[in-house]
């Protein structure tokens, strides 16, 4: 069996290279030939079928370039995660719409109205409405973002307005701030519908628990409700593998914060000793049997 590991052409930080190395090593151990390719090394005219390439049995798609993923699928290649699944995680507004539709508990969320680059916002009625419905402080989250870098907490309407002005015309959502989970959440890794690893992330100095922001981590045994929520969320978004972030609600109830289609699992390995790459490779081998 042979596969391609497709990665972003321009992002070459060690943080990402570590993930690629773990996937390549796990494939090798399983006698699967996995070739690392940058997205720009694979291209074809729209509507063509990549006939200049010997297409692999599968692709592990470690990029957010869902258009390339979609074209590969159209050419008949099995892509893990699928283009649709990656998109439904990458666009957080889309994630919340799909999770809510599937009955998965999420923080109360309002999607900001669309504007355009040349127009921006010239009327903030929508901000007043969001604060009326969700209260203060309020979370403002860009639809596309990671490592907590595009997630903000506004204590007042003026702060919220300043944040929105900085975001400019990019898509974002308002979200109820789950105070009982301030700086703390659970990352649950799901592969092939099974929970394979879990850790608690916590930060005393920031409302965001992301490790890259200075969050700490420790192994964690999730409750049945948290496990159930993680697997249902992964299924709702058609993910073969996922990192599901779960908040602690007021009565400890589990609430999905977001879902990652390409979870950064090096920290999970450091924290729990569990190598998600091995689980992903084993799962793909089973699926393609
Ligand atoms: N509605 C919320 N209530 C409380 N904390 C939140 C909420 N949304 C996000 N957070 C905190 O911010 C962090 C980053 O938000 P998240 O939606 O996971 O974005 P990213 O993709 O950047 O990680 C979360 O891990 C969590 O600690
Ligand atoms: Mg997150």
């Amino acid at each position: 069996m042979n596969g391609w590991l497709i990665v972003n052409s321009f992002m070459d930080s060690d943080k990402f290279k570590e993930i690629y190395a773990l996937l390549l090593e796990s494939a090798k151990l399983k006698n699967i030939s996995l070739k690392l390719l940058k997205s720009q090394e694979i291209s074809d005219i729209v509507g063509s079928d990549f006939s200049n390439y010997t297409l692999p049995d599968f692709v592990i798609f470690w990029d957010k370039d869902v258009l390339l993923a979609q074209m590969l699928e159209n050419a008949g290649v099995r892509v893990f995660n699928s283009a649709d699944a990656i998109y439904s995680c990458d666009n957080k507004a889309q994630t919340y719409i799909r999770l809510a539709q599937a009955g998965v508990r999420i923080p109360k969320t309002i999607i900001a109205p669309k504007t355009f680059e040349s127009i921006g916002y010239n009327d903030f009625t929508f901000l007043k409405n969001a604060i009326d419905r969700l209260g203060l402080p309020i979370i403002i989250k860009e639809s596309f973002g990671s490592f907590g870098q595009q997630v903000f907490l506004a204590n007042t309407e003026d702060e919220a307005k300043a944040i929105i002005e900085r975001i400019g015309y990019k898509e974002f959502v308002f979200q109820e701030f789950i105070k009982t989970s301030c700086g703390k959440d659970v990352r649950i890794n799901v592969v092939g519908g099974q929970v394979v690893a879990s850790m608690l992330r916590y930060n005393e100095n920031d409302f965001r628990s992301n490790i890259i922001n200075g969050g700490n981590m420790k192994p964690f045994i999730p409750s049945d409700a948290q496990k159930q929520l993680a697997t249902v969320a992964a299924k709702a978004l058609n993910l073969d593998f996922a990192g599901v972030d779960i908040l602690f609600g007021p009565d400890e109830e589990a609430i999905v914060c977001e879902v990652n289609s390409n979870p950064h699992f090096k920290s999970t390995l450091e924290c729990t000793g569990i190598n998600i790459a091995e689980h992903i490779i084993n799962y793909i081998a089973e699926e393609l049997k």
Side-chain angles (χ1 to χ4, degrees), residues 45-202:
I45 290 166
V46 172
S48 309
D49 57 2
F50 297 91
S51 49
N52 291 347
Y53 301 84
T54 307
L55 288 174
D57 300 314
F58 68 92
V59 164
I60 299 179
F61 207 84
W62 218 266
D63 193 6
K64 302 287 167 79
D65 191 341
V66 292
L67 303 175
L68 174 60
Q70 193 183 352
M71 282 182 60
L72 287 165
E73 285 171 357
N74 288 350
V77 183
R78 177 79 196 269
V79 180
F80 297 89
N81 280 301
S82 70
D84 176 69
I86 294 173
Y87 178 71
S88 68
C89 290
D90 196 28
N91 181 336
K92 289 188 171 74
Q94 184 64 231
T95 310
Y96 297 123
I97 289 175
R98 292 202 193 185
L99 291 180
Q101 180 73 9
V104 173
R105 177 102 196 252
I106 55 167
K108 281 189 203 127
T109 300
I110 293 177
I111 297 172
K114 185 171 179 63
T115 187
F116 298 94
E117 184 171 5
S118 54
I119 295 178
Y121 296 104
N122 47 28
D123 177 352
F124 280 87
T125 309
F126 67 94
L127 170 58
K128 281 199 188 320
N129 289 341
I131 291 174
D132 280 351
R133 299 291 299 278
L134 308 178
L136 284 169
I138 194 167
I139 294 267
I140 296 177
K141 202 181 277 197
E142 292 185 29
S143 291
F144 297 94
S146 37
F147 305 124
Q149 282 160 4
Q150 288 79 17
V151 180
F152 312 94
L153 186 62
N155 291 298
T156 63
E157 187 177 327
D158 283 346
E159 272 180 36
K161 201 169 166 208
I163 291 165
I164 294 166
E165 277 164 350
R166 277 202 303 275
I167 290 176
Y169 66 97
K170 287 177 279 176
E171 293 173 28
F172 68 93
V173 303
F174 294 103
Q175 205 161 61
E176 162 194 21
F177 176 47
I178 308 294
K179 293 184 193 63
T180 41
S181 203
C182 185
K184 181 173 89 161
D185 66 7
V186 180
R187 160 62 58 88
I188 297 187
N189 279 93
V190 177
V191 180
Q194 305 293 321
V195 170
V196 297
S198 165
M199 62 180 185
L200 181 72
R201 306 185 305 174
Y202 55 101

Side-chain angles (χ1 to χ4, degrees), residues 175-238:
Q175 205 161 61
E176 162 194 21
F177 176 47
I178 308 294
K179 293 184 193 63
T180 41
S181 203
C182 185
K184 181 173 89 161
D185 66 7
V186 180
R187 160 62 58 88
I188 297 187
N189 279 93
V190 177
V191 180
Q194 305 293 321
V195 170
V196 297
S198 165
M199 62 180 185
L200 181 72
R201 306 185 305 174
Y202 55 101
N203 188 336
E204 263 121 54
N205 306 311
D206 198 297
F207 73 96
R208 295 162 297 186
S209 64
N210 305 72
I211 307 298
I212 203 162
N213 265 334
N216 302 296
M217 54 191 177
K218 58 181 172 197
F220 181 78
I221 299 172
S223 67
D224 288 345
Q226 289 166 330
K227 286 201 266 191
Q228 161 90 358
L229 192 70
T231 50
V232 171
K235 188 157 184 243
L237 303 172
N238 293 322

Side-chain angles (χ1 to χ4, degrees), residues 4-13 16-17 20 35-43 50 53 59-63 65 68 72:
W4 289 347
L5 170 60
I6 297 186
V7 306
N8 186 271
S9 296
F10 316 107
M11 224 157 43
D12 66 349
S13 73
F16 285 91
K17 286 182 186 153
Y20 311 154
K35 188 172 174 199
L36 181 78
L37 288 164
K38 290 187 173 175
S39 58
Q40 66 177 338
E41 293 178 75
I42 309 294
S43 68
F50 297 91
Y53 301 84
V59 164
I60 299 179
F61 207 84
W62 218 266
D63 193 6
D65 191 341
L68 174 60
L72 287 165

Side-chain angles (χ1 to χ4, degrees), residues 237-280:
L237 303 172
N238 293 322
L239 289 151
D240 295 293
F241 46 86
V244 185
D245 293 347
I246 294 184
L247 300 167
F248 296 90
D251 299 309
E252 290 273 302
E253 74 264 40
I255 304 175
V256 171
C257 176
E258 67 140 352
V259 184
N260 300 278
S261 61
N262 305 8
H264 194 82
F265 55 69
K266 181 74 191 309
S267 41
T268 304
L269 174 61
E270 281 163 13
C271 177
T272 65
I274 297 166
N275 187 350
I276 304 299
E278 278 172 21
H279 285 276
I280 291 175

